[in-house]
Amino acid sequence: MSDVRYPFTAVVGMADLRLGLLLNAVSPAVGGVLVRGEKGTAKSTMVRALAGLLPSIATVDGCRFACDPAAADPQCPDGPHVGASASERPSQLVELPVGVAEDRIVGSLDLERALAEGVKAYEPGLLAKAHRGVLYIDEVNLLQDHVVDLLLDAAAMGRSYVEREGVSVRHAARFLLVGTMNPEEGELRPQLLDRFGLTVEIAATRDPAERAEVVRRRLAYDADPVSFAARFAEEERELAERITTARELLPKVELTDVALRQITAVCAAFEVDGLRADIVMARTAVALAAWDGRTEVLEEDVRKAAQLALPHRRRRNPFDAPGLDEEQLDRTLEEHAPTEEDGEGDGPEDDGPGPDGGPGGGPDGGGAPEPADGPEAPAAETDEQPQQPVPAQHPAPARESAPVAAGDPYRTRLFSVRGTGHGAQGRRSPAETDGGHTVRARRPQGTLSRLHLTATLQAAAPHQVARGRSGAALVLRKDDFREQVRQGRESNLVLFVVDASGSMAARQRMTAVKGAVLSLLMDAYQRRDKIGMITFRGAGAELALPPTSSVEVGAARLESLPTGGRTPLAAGLLRAHEVLRVERLRDPNRRPLVVVVTDGRATGGRDALARSQRAAELFAAQGVASVVLDCESGPVRLGLARTLAGRLGGTAVTLDELRAEGVASIVRENRATSMRKAA
């Protein structure tokens, strides 16, 4: 791989991403950029190219924490810096790997030297290296929870704290946070999402000419990176100079009361949470004015700032796609536009409605006139027409029903996997994790990172006389050290096996079933699980959603799920068994939880029910945790779903029992009944 970065100005298209990055280069206070888009769209290429445009910074010589000589950090571990010499160096772009360990982020202490010699030997981490620079996280949505917590603390306070066994180190950590992600692989935690000042949605161009130019430039860069970069050197220099000029102009830009009123009105109209959006919009609008060489914020700056700062702050649940209603934005800006009282009323006055009585061209100000009554107008009346009877001796073949909407999601009861796992940190099943509470000590496995002080002292104490201890310091050997074993919760692979056959096709029933699955998807999102979805109907089963972290995609697949046909339950279970086999090879530490959504019926072929029960026994033999969501309804119930749950070695719950509040009420009723019997 070449050390020569791909030039920023050589990237084709992606105007919004280009602008978002440049605005942060002009004003780091904007708060960074989150880049959302499909794979292979040069997200990472453009972010890495930004580093070459950033102005150099002055730092104290010998300081590992990039202290500014004009305002050195009084708590800097390498300080104090009184009278220290300084020099300039390029701004740093620090990449944070997805699987990074906690010690690598905040830094690490040499615990052996700290205990044996009483020396604070601290090695700075990536947050220290990113101070006054750019912290770039590719696939930021795949970060583990404990890493996200560290980033949130540093982003909120501008400092990094290291607290280990009575040793405390703190240093400044202010950086421009830039993240890229593919939404198909999962969403970000809302707390971290809100920390990004701006968000940009990108997709590959569909214009063949532009695509050809992208390929042409990439091939030229791969063939000779130095010559390719030289072609764009002048454009890069001019862009870097424009950034420097805009930075110098930034303090002179005036945010008028009118512009501020529009900003706050837009944030209120879109019902964003908190006031961070207002502040980010104000900073972005000021940066836009400086970038255009102006000293006053205009309405166009406010509009563009809203388009960049608000889409990711409007989501109310993980199934809401980020976006902004442009018509609502224009209406809000127009309602709070400058008036004569603001001293900006020199333009033409509003003459009121047009000659037809409204601004939209119609007599009432609307758009197109209402359609005239005609033979096709009363569409709703067709619902009242009598249905033609189907002769009993000629039954209609099973047909596919149109998808129905899901019911509203609700909070579900917790389903977890038995035992203690070792998977990625999450919020579902018990596991040994980097977080959580300490349950025991053990000999270190690899590099010592979480010292169990009490166990270490207990292991070393019996040998002090034999080792000739004479002073106050303990005489420690490598075999004495013990590390903490912490127990928290892990995320799991929740695999949905959904019956989409004709027996589930009643509209009200399928609406309730989809609402239940949607609720379980919401639960999986909140517990940081991966999800997958298999549907079975007609002649077989289909992997509708390969295992992914994106519950948003899962909800979309569920919404468009058609129903109809026979019930090949065995095919659905066997397909689930195969998916789990493959996923076990890919990620052996992630334990599965299978959720079968069915009424238990099985049709299609001879011995369909017996074949489905034998398929279910495969899961029980491997100890796979399972839940059967019993969708059977009506006064007469066969109990097939509960029989299936027994074969799976799992639990069966009805739609009513799935609700968390429903479970609580059942417990309360049982408790009250027991008390009455005892009395």
Side-chain angles (χ1 to χ4, degrees):
M1 182 176 178
S2 173
D3 293 333
V4 180
R5 286 194 180 100
Y6 194 93
F8 189 87
T9 53
V11 178
V12 178
M14 295 194 289
D16 281 347
L17 175 55
R18 185 188 307 269
L19 180 60
L21 292 172
L22 290 173
L23 291 177
N24 276 275
V26 171
S27 175
V30 166
V33 186
L34 174 64
V35 188
R36 297 166 47 95
E38 58 195 27
K39 53 186 177 294
T41 49
K43 302 186 296 291
S44 302
T45 299
M46 183 168 270
V47 172
R48 293 188 179 103
L50 177 69
L53 301 175
L54 297 176
S56 58
I57 61 174
T59 61
V60 175
D61 289 339
C63 179
R64 298 172 297 169
F65 302 87
C67 278
D68 186 351
D73 180 11
Q75 295 181 318
C76 176
D78 287 351
H81 297 307
V82 179
S85 60
S87 58
E88 287 199 355
R89 66 165 176 80
S91 294
Q92 294 280 341
L93 184 140
V94 178
E95 296 194 33
L96 189 74
V98 170
V100 67
E102 179 179 338
D103 290 347
R104 187 72 184 95
I105 298 174
V106 299
S108 58
L109 294 169
D110 190 333
L111 295 176
E112 295 184 26
R113 291 187 62 192
L115 283 175
E117 305 174 26
V119 176
K120 289 185 181 181
Y122 174 69
E123 183 66 27
L126 295 176
L127 293 183
K129 190 177 180 182
H131 179 48
R132 302 177 64 201
V134 180
L135 183 64
Y136 169 50
I137 312 170
D138 194 14
E139 306 296 350
V140 62
N141 50 324
L142 302 184
L143 286 178
Q144 295 187 17
D145 274 4
H146 71 283
V147 175
V148 172
D149 292 338
L150 293 174
L151 292 177
L152 287 173
D153 289 342
M157 298 181 290
R159 304 193 71 81
S160 177
Y161 294 85
V162 183
E163 305 286 346
R164 295 285 172 82
E165 281 72 40
V167 180
S168 178
V169 177
R170 59 192 62 192
H171 62 83
R174 292 183 295 275
F175 44 80
L176 173 61
L177 185 61
V178 180
T180 58
M181 60 175 282
N182 182 352
E184 292 181 359
E185 296 175 343
E187 287 296 334
L188 270 180
R189 282 175 56 181
Q191 297 93 331
L192 184 57
L193 184 66
D194 191 48
R195 286 293 172 185
F196 286 96
L198 311 179
T199 185
V200 178
E201 293 275 346
I202 62 172
T205 177
R206 299 297 184 257
D207 182 2
E210 283 192 11
R211 295 174 75 97
E213 182 61 23
V214 172
V215 175
R216 188 178 298 113
R217 292 188 180 187
R218 184 68 207 192
L219 293 177
Y221 170 78
D222 291 340
D224 190 349
V226 176
S227 298
F228 183 81
R231 285 173 46 191
F232 294 89
E234 182 61 23
E235 295 179 42
E236 293 281 292
R237 184 188 61 80
E238 292 175 356
L239 191 58
E241 290 179 353
R242 185 176 175 185
I243 292 174
T244 302
T245 302
R247 280 192 172 191
E248 295 172 352
L249 183 61
L250 191 69
K252 303 174 185 177
V253 177
E254 179 187 4
L255 179 65
T256 63
D257 290 341
V258 173
L260 182 57
R261 185 175 65 223
Q262 287 183 313
I263 289 171
T264 55
V266 167
C267 292
F270 283 102
E271 299 180 350
V272 295
D273 295 332
L275 293 172
R276 183 174 287 118
D278 306 62
I279 297 171
V280 171
M281 269 191 67
R283 290 171 174 167
T284 305
V286 170
L288 280 163
W291 179 247
D292 286 340
R294 291 182 274 103
T295 57
E296 183 178 342
V297 174
L298 304 179
E299 182 177 307
E300 63 193 66
D301 300 322
V302 177
R303 176 181 284 103
K304 192 62 183 178
Q307 293 169 345
L308 293 172
L310 295 188
H312 61 301
R313 293 186 165 90
R314 295 192 59 246
R315 306 183 72 189
R316 289 295 178 267
N317 66 63
F319 311 131
D320 293 337
L324 210 62
D325 187 337
E326 297 288 342
E327 293 184 2
Q328 183 181 0
L329 175 61
D330 290 338
R331 284 196 306 270
T332 305
L333 290 174
E334 185 178 352
E335 290 172 2
H336 296 84
T339 63
E340 292 184 5
E341 293 156 2
D342 297 317
E344 301 183 21
D346 296 333
E349 295 182 0
D350 184 4
D351 294 329
D356 292 326
D364 59 351
E370 295 182 5
D373 293 336
E376 298 182 1
E381 295 179 7
T382 59
D383 294 337
E384 304 297 330
Q385 297 175 1
Q387 301 293 323
Q388 296 296 327
V390 179
Q393 64 271 27
H394 299 292
R399 293 182 299 174
E400 180 178 292
S401 301
V404 299
D408 294 333
Y410 46 82
R411 189 167 66 89
T412 66
R413 58 186 288 188
L414 170 64
F415 300 105
S416 60
V417 181
R418 294 183 296 272
T420 302
H422 299 84
Q425 189 167 342
R427 297 183 177 179
R428 183 172 297 278
S429 305
E432 291 184 7
T433 61
D434 291 332
H437 60 281
T438 301
V439 293
R440 59 187 176 88
R442 68 183 175 195
R443 294 182 183 275
Q445 298 179 353
T447 303
L448 176 63
S449 58
R450 299 185 301 271
L451 178 73
H452 196 297
L453 183 58
T454 304
T456 299
L457 296 177
Q458 288 175 344
H463 308 291
Q464 294 304 298
V465 175
R467 292 173 184 175
R469 173 184 173 185
S470 58
L474 288 172
V475 181
L476 298 175
R477 299 288 185 265
K478 188 174 182 179
D479 290 343
D480 297 332
F481 288 98
R482 300 292 184 269
E483 68 179 1
Q484 301 173 14
V485 177
R486 297 179 181 177
Q487 183 167 310
R489 291 193 173 272
E490 67 178 0
S491 62
N492 298 110
L493 168 60
V494 182
L495 183 61
F496 293 91
V497 185
V498 181
D499 185 350
S501 64
S503 65
M504 303 281 288
R507 299 187 71 85
Q508 290 184 349
R509 182 183 182 189
M510 200 60 193
T511 295
V513 169
K514 283 189 175 183
V517 178
L518 194 67
S519 303
L520 289 168
L521 283 171
M522 176 81 79
D523 182 68
Y525 165 77
Q526 294 170 342
R527 300 187 188 282
R528 313 289 181 260
D529 294 318
K530 288 183 68 175
I531 62 163
M533 186 180 298
I534 292 170
T535 61
F536 59 92
R537 66 187 181 90
E542 174 189 2
L543 181 59
L545 180 66
T548 175
S549 296
S550 178
V551 295
E552 185 179 12
V553 177
R557 300 286 169 87
L558 178 70
E559 193 71 22
S560 60
L561 178 66
T563 56
R566 296 181 180 274
T567 312
L569 177 58
L573 294 174
L574 291 174
R575 188 63 186 273
H577 187 268
E578 176 63 18
V579 169
L580 292 185
R581 185 188 68 80
V582 174
E583 287 301 310
R584 196 175 293 115
L585 296 175
R586 292 177 178 171
D587 189 356
N589 288 330
R590 189 181 292 271
R591 298 187 294 167
L593 172 65
V594 176
V595 179
V596 185
V597 184
T598 182
D599 56 9
R601 290 181 172 85
T603 59
R606 296 180 57 184
D607 300 325
L609 187 59
R611 284 188 287 109
S612 66
Q613 292 176 349
R614 288 196 297 270
E617 291 170 355
L618 294 174
F619 293 87
Q622 294 182 351
V624 176
S626 59
V627 176
V628 176
L629 185 57
D630 184 359
C631 302
E632 192 174 22
S633 60
V636 179
R637 304 193 181 191
L638 303 178
L640 296 175
R642 295 195 174 272
T643 302
L644 177 64
R647 297 280 184 166
L648 286 166
T651 305
V653 295
T654 64
L655 293 177
D656 292 335
E657 293 170 343
L658 180 65
R659 295 177 180 266
E661 56 268 26
V663 175
S665 63
I666 292 172
V667 172
R668 286 194 295 269
E669 290 175 4
N670 290 341
R671 184 178 298 169
T673 302
S674 300
M675 293 177 65
R676 285 195 298 269
K677 290 180 178 179

